[in-house]
Amino acid sequence: MARLSLALFGGFRASLADQPLVAFESDKVRALLAYLAVEADRPHRREALASLLWPERPESNARQSLSQALSALRRTLGDQAASPPFLLVTPQTLQFNPDSDHWLDVAVYRELLSACQRHKHASVADCDECLERLHEAAALYGGTFLSGFSLPDSAEFEEWVARQRERLHQTLMESLSALADAREQRGAYQHALLYARRALELDPWREEAQQQVMLLLALSGESGAALAQYEACRR
């Protein structure tokens, strides 16, 4: 069985059985796969998907374009030979098969964070298991969700991408802050600085991240660097 791997952090990358998939017919086909994979918790009506990706076309033409994109996607994935298939297809709906042999970086990222929320502990800072989960999640975040990928003629798809980017970015910033706080509480200031500085690189305007870097530099005995960071923040 060939595993499908999808990496949507930092762009769009797909591989099947460790071989890069580059023969997608169009960006609409890539967008269809990305959307179905991320929203795999439910089936999607064909008319809704057609409207999402081809909003400027009459419904009948949009539905035809969706059928053509679906056929192209299934050929690229070798879906009809896959067992179980990657896509669950009915005359009315399409769904990415959550039971197929696949790996999706966004899904793994979200599950790591959800596992932390479900886990019973006094605090994340005192839970080595959850700190490791947060570290793994932060490592998975290789860049902005679908960076460099867009469908200029589909405002609804662009809005969906923007919402995903904002949510994923926010959870990453919260994770990095929690990791830095935990290392700070344990006196591992240099380790904490790695997380705080990454947060600052991702969001230089985030005042909490600026403050955290200043504090950690001061705690590390680098008062000059802490003052320089303050001046940079003030400017």
Side-chain angles (χ1 to χ4, degrees), residues 39-118:
E39 304 287 353
D41 60 331
R42 64 194 187 282
H44 300 270
R45 300 288 302 179
R46 284 182 179 242
E47 59 266 28
L49 292 170
S51 176
L52 174 73
L53 298 175
W54 292 274
E56 78 289 354
R57 298 187 184 181
E59 182 179 349
S60 60
N61 289 350
R63 287 284 297 265
Q64 183 178 7
S65 295
L66 175 63
S67 294
Q68 292 170 349
L70 174 62
S71 295
L73 177 58
R74 297 189 79 186
R75 286 195 301 272
T76 300
L77 300 181
D79 192 47
Q80 292 179 326
S83 180
F86 298 114
L87 302 172
L88 302 175
V89 179
T90 76
Q92 293 78 33
T93 65
L94 302 179
Q95 183 179 7
F96 191 88
N97 186 357
D99 296 322
S100 62
D101 185 13
H102 74 280
W103 180 89
L104 172 63
D105 58 354
V106 174
V108 176
Y109 172 89
R110 286 175 169 167
E111 176 52 34
L112 286 166
L113 299 187
S114 294
C116 288
Q117 294 175 349
R118 295 193 304 266

Side-chain angles (χ1 to χ4, degrees), residues 109 134-135 137-139 141 169-183 192 194-202 212:
Y109 172 89
L134 292 180
H135 176 80
Y141 193 104
H169 177 81
Q170 183 60 34
T171 55
L172 174 65
M173 297 302 288
E174 292 169 356
S175 298
L176 290 173
S177 179
L179 285 163
D181 285 342
R183 298 309 178 195
L194 294 176
Y195 296 118
R197 280 178 164 149
R198 186 181 176 198
L200 200 56
E201 289 171 2
L202 292 167
Q212 194 165 43

Side-chain angles (χ1 to χ4, degrees), residues 52 149-163:
L52 174 73
F149 185 91
S150 66
L151 296 181
D153 61 349
S154 176
E156 187 178 347
F157 179 81
E158 292 290 281
E159 290 169 5
W160 174 78
V161 170
R163 289 195 302 272

Side-chain angles (χ1 to χ4, degrees), residues 4 11 34 67-68 104 131 146 166-167 192 232:
L4 172 65
S67 294
Q68 292 170 349
L104 172 63
L131 288 175
L146 284 179
E166 177 60 28
R167 291 169 186 165

